[in-house]
Amino acid sequence: MKKFVVMLALAGAAGLALAQAYPTKPIRLIVGFPPGGGIDFTARTVQHPLQEALKQQVVMEYKPGAGGMLAAGELTRAAPDGYTLLLANTGPFAIAPYLQAKLPYDPVKQFTYIGQISQGSYIVVTRPDHPAKDLREFVAWAKANAGKVNYASAGNGTSTHLNGELMNQATGLDMTHVPYKGSAPAVQDLIGGQTQVLIDAGTVLLPQIKGGKLKALAVTGARRDPQLPDVPTAREQGLPALESVGFQGLVGPAGMPKEVVDRLAAELAKVLANPDLKAKFAVAGSEVHSQGPAEFAAFVKGDNEKWAKLIRERKLQLD
């Protein structure tokens, strides 16, 4: 018995030493989407304060492709030592895998959930010269122009893709999906008139809305966006089925040491508690939503179930 107690004490001391020592070298932060989008904004916003908190360099590495799945797949092959992390988001962690005939990875079981960073509603936008003044009018216009309406997305399997499908299901529309390689080109083609509507994050769309290049028709969250107080929610416009939010957070490969996860989660929570950082997210149309490892994992599991159900009902598949 005494020997067992000693072994436990030694194990605890070793874990504490590991947490205190980590990190001893730069941390690689994978970003699965090109610069200019909402994921890039979040990564850049937390990068510097996280470096200061951990007293070690955090090196961002862009690995765009397949709606963020290339980056997520690469993370599953990384050593679970805390030196390779990923800025996770709704698309590759709650949507894209279920669009495949065979799961490329299990978004619930093959990752270590460290902490949620933000959560925010999406914004439904169109061109400023579009005749619709709100979402209800856009739906009526789209029904009158059946077969001629396209919705843009940041790529197959992204939240913008599924938000378009959710709108089709909620309204009875049959808009054609036009995928792009990221949010930035999707926005530019919407402005240019190649598509008619896009549902994306405020971090992407607010500058264009405030600059007069896009018009907001609705927000998809439970309440209005403080940055767009005059824009009603989808629920207010009689479309509660269009209600959805997106998440972003920090994840690592499965099997990371608990001590390293706890250290990362604690430092991330401190970073997110900073009022200046919260203000940056708010101005960008998002909201800091700090959750620890267990809560974040549970949230992602629930989001998986929601989007997987829509994918089954719409009979969606990418391969």
Side-chain angles (χ1 to χ4, degrees), residues 30-35 61-71 74 181-182:
I30 304 174
V31 182
F33 293 85
E61 185 174 325
Y62 293 95
K63 291 281 183 178
M69 287 194 297
L70 287 182
E74 180 168 330
K181 292 181 179 180

Side-chain angles (χ1 to χ4, degrees), residues 286-308:
S286 188
E287 180 182 354
V288 167
H289 196 87
S290 181
Q291 285 188 326
E295 296 84 359
F296 185 27
F299 176 85
V300 174
K301 186 175 184 295
D303 223 35
N304 272 253
E305 292 166 357
K306 169 191 172 177
W307 292 113

Side-chain angles (χ1 to χ4, degrees), residues 158-177:
T158 62
S159 58
T160 51
H161 173 194
L162 266 289
N163 273 320
E165 287 301 321
L166 188 61
M167 184 170 168
N168 273 338
Q169 184 185 63
T171 61
L173 293 174
D174 189 25
M175 300 183 294
T176 300
H177 175 217

Side-chain angles (χ1 to χ4, degrees), residues 76-291:
T76 64
R77 298 185 291 273
D81 54 9
Y83 290 100
T84 304
L85 306 174
L86 175 73
L87 203 295
N89 67 300
T90 306
F93 281 81
I95 295 174
Y98 301 104
L99 289 165
Q100 315 300 310
K102 182 180 178 183
L103 276 179
Y105 49 81
D106 188 318
V108 175
K109 297 178 180 178
Q110 283 188 266
F111 300 93
T112 296
Y113 286 86
I114 297 164
Q116 188 171 351
I117 295 172
S118 69
Q119 193 176 104
S121 59
Y122 300 100
I123 307 172
V124 187
V125 295
T126 189
R127 283 167 52 91
D129 59 359
H130 195 282
K133 294 190 290 292
D134 58 26
L135 183 57
R136 281 175 295 202
E137 290 189 6
F138 182 89
V139 171
W141 173 86
K143 287 182 176 179
N145 289 273
K148 303 175 184 177
V149 184
N150 301 324
Y151 77 87
S153 86
N156 287 316
T158 62
S159 58
T160 51
H161 173 194
L162 266 289
N163 273 320
E165 287 301 321
L166 188 61
M167 184 170 168
N168 273 338
Q169 184 185 63
T171 61
L173 293 174
D174 189 25
M175 300 183 294
T176 300
H177 175 217
V178 181
Y180 291 86
K181 292 181 179 180
S183 290
V187 167
Q188 290 308 309
D189 265 15
L190 175 62
I191 292 171
Q194 281 74 36
T195 58
Q196 286 73 50
V197 68
L198 169 66
I199 308 175
D200 209 332
T203 47
V204 175
L205 299 176
L206 272 175
Q208 308 295 338
I209 296 168
K210 293 187 174 183
K213 294 181 178 180
L214 289 175
K215 174 167 58 177
L217 301 172
V219 295
T220 66
R223 61 182 185 274
R224 295 192 181 195
D225 189 326
Q227 299 295 316
L228 301 169
D230 298 327
V231 179
T233 66
R235 181 177 288 275
E236 287 179 281
Q237 299 186 62
L239 289 167
L242 193 53
E243 200 164 277
S244 66
V245 295
F247 71 82
Q248 298 172 352
L250 199 63
V251 303
M256 285 176 59
K258 182 180 184 302
E259 296 80 13
V260 171
V261 175
D262 289 347
R263 171 82 198 282
L264 282 166
E267 297 299 346
L268 179 63
K270 291 176 189 175
V271 165
L272 298 178
N274 186 302
D276 291 339
L277 186 137
K278 287 184 176 182
K280 287 180 181 178
F281 275 92
V283 169
S286 188
E287 180 182 354
V288 167
H289 196 87
S290 181
Q291 285 188 326

